[in-house]
């Protein structure tokens, strides 16, 4: 695979792109409540990105017709925004990409509208934890398989969840998808070696039940085969020695999430040590 390493200056530009996604998710987090449509969320996403002199990278990407992907309940990824109103107990993943100064940011966050129940809250928490466990392995000298194994270990082996096989994380840069692919399952010590300056979108997509998924007739919407919920968290990171540099920022999203009375939050909001 042809991996493109970024200079420090380029990483700083990518940080601005990643942070614009974080700021957009934060803006949306403040507005989430039962009764709003996913299409109204998508419109706000588009406006916010354009107001910040950036371009929504998903819009018209391979013909994708919206600014964002909004995946509710059993939708794994690539859900189409639409007229359906959110209700109490829904979980919603908002996945956003931007192009700012020629560089992509691309990350996602799963929110709970009202109380979806203990089992679903645990799925959200474990998936989010697994993202940080993967990021812990994203250091120079390790391999892609080390990230993949850490995510699979925490979600599938320890908690019995289904790790989606068909969809993976990826390199990120001037293009939305660059080499290498970053699966959420795999063997330690396998795959491409990680070197400083590699920017990755790490994104566990974890199902409560079966790992098996299908794509709807629209060619985009991916759902779980058993109709059980799926959770998706994604950060943009840069590989460094000793510790990955997380370019996106969950802390601002979490603050908005905690102050919105319509949202339920995980017990663990900090990366694990």
């Amino acid at each position: 695979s042809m991996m493109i390493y970024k200079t420090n200056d380029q990483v700083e530009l990518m940080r601005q792109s990643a942070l614009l996604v974080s700021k957009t998710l934060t803006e949306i987090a403040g507005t989430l409540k039962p009764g709003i449509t996913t299409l109204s969320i998508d419109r706000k996403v588009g406006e916010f990105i354009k107001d910040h002199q950036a371009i929504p990278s998903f819009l018209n990407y391979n013909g994708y017709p919206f600014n964002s992907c909004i995946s509710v309940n059993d939708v794994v990824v690539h859900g189409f925004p639409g007229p359906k109103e959110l209700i109490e107990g829904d979980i919603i993943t908002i996945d956003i990409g931007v192009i700012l100064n020629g560089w992509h940011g691309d990350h996602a966050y799963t929110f709970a509208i009202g109380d979806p129940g203990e089992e679903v809250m645990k799925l959200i928490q474990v998936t989010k934890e697994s993202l940080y466990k993967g990021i812990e392995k994203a250091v120079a000298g390790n391999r892609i398989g080390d990230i993949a194994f850490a995510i699979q270990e925490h979600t599938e082996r320890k908690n019995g969840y289904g790790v989606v096989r068909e969809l993976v994380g990826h390199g990120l840069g001037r293009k939305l998808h660059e080499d290498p692919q970053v699966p959420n399952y795999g063997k330690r010590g396998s795959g491409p070696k990680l070197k400083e300056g590699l920017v990755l979108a790490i994104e566990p997509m974890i199902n409560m039940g079966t790992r098996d998924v299908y794509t709807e007739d629209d060619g985009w919407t991916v759902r779980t085969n058993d109709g059980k919920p799926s959770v998706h968290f994604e950060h943009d990171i840069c590989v460094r020695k000793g510790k990955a540099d997380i370019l996106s920022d969950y802390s601002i999203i979490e603050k908005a999430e905690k102050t919105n009375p319509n949202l339920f939050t995980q017990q663990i909001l900090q990366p694990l040590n």
Side-chain angles (χ1 to χ4, degrees), residues 6-72:
K6 313 302 189 283
T7 66
N8 291 343
D9 287 348
Q10 290 173 333
V11 171
E12 290 316 308
L13 287 170
M14 290 197 71
R15 191 188 310 279
Q16 293 312 309
S17 306
L19 285 174
L20 178 54
V21 176
S22 309
K23 286 171 191 161
T24 311
L25 287 165
T26 301
E27 180 76 8
I28 297 303
T31 69
L32 292 174
K33 61 172 195 272
I36 65 169
T37 68
T38 52
L39 191 58
S40 72
I41 295 169
D42 185 73
R43 288 206 187 103
K44 280 199 183 96
V45 166
E47 283 163 21
F48 192 86
I49 292 168
K50 285 171 194 144
D51 286 348
H52 289 79
Q53 285 67 61
I55 300 161
S57 18
F58 296 177
L59 186 60
N60 302 321
Y61 181 84
N62 292 337
Y64 185 79
F66 299 97
N67 300 301
S68 60
C69 296
I70 301 184
S71 303
V72 180

Side-chain angles (χ1 to χ4, degrees), residues 150-169:
I151 292 170
Q152 185 181 13
E153 171 83 357
H154 193 60
T155 53
E156 197 173 84
R157 295 198 187 91
K158 285 200 179 141
N159 288 287
Y161 298 138
V163 175
V164 175
R165 302 303 201 262
E166 291 81 354
L167 300 142
V168 296

Side-chain angles (χ1 to χ4, degrees), residues 92-252:
I92 175 175
T93 299
I94 302 172
D95 189 355
I96 295 170
V98 304
I99 309 166
L100 180 63
N101 302 317
W103 295 95
H104 283 267
D106 167 24
H107 82 96
Y109 198 94
T110 298
F111 300 94
I113 312 282
D115 184 1
E118 218 172 297
E119 271 190 84
V120 177
M121 284 312 298
K122 188 187 168 195
L123 175 66
I124 293 175
Q125 184 179 324
V126 168
T127 304
K128 193 186 205 182
E129 288 168 355
S130 79
L131 171 57
Y132 288 109
K133 290 196 174 279
I135 291 170
E136 277 173 18
K137 301 297 179 194
V139 293
N142 275 358
R143 291 181 179 272
I144 290 291
D146 296 316
I147 300 172
F149 178 86
I151 292 170
Q152 185 181 13
E153 171 83 357
H154 193 60
T155 53
E156 197 173 84
R157 295 198 187 91
K158 285 200 179 141
N159 288 287
Y161 298 138
V163 175
V164 175
R165 302 303 201 262
E166 291 81 354
L167 300 142
V168 296
H170 50 92
L172 188 68
R174 290 195 184 278
K175 293 208 305 228
L176 182 58
H177 294 105
E178 294 183 358
D179 285 335
Q181 292 200 334
V182 187
N184 296 303
Y185 64 96
K187 289 190 168 69
R188 275 187 287 216
S190 69
K193 196 164 229 190
L194 301 171
K195 292 180 192 155
E196 286 204 85
L198 183 66
V199 176
L200 301 173
I202 301 178
E203 47 176 324
M205 292 156 271
I206 309 298
N207 301 345
M208 178 168 278
T210 182
R211 72 190 196 193
D212 299 321
V213 300
Y214 68 94
T215 305
E216 281 190 18
D217 293 340
D218 61 24
W220 286 99
T221 308
V222 178
R223 288 184 185 268
T224 60
N225 269 5
D226 59 9
K228 289 183 181 171
S230 185
V231 170
H232 175 206
F233 282 99
E234 178 180 19
H235 259 312
D236 300 334
I237 67 100
C238 182
V239 172
R240 294 292 183 206
K241 288 193 179 101
K243 194 176 190 222
D245 181 4
I246 304 179
L247 306 178
S248 31
D249 184 5
Y250 274 2
S251 72
I252 57 174

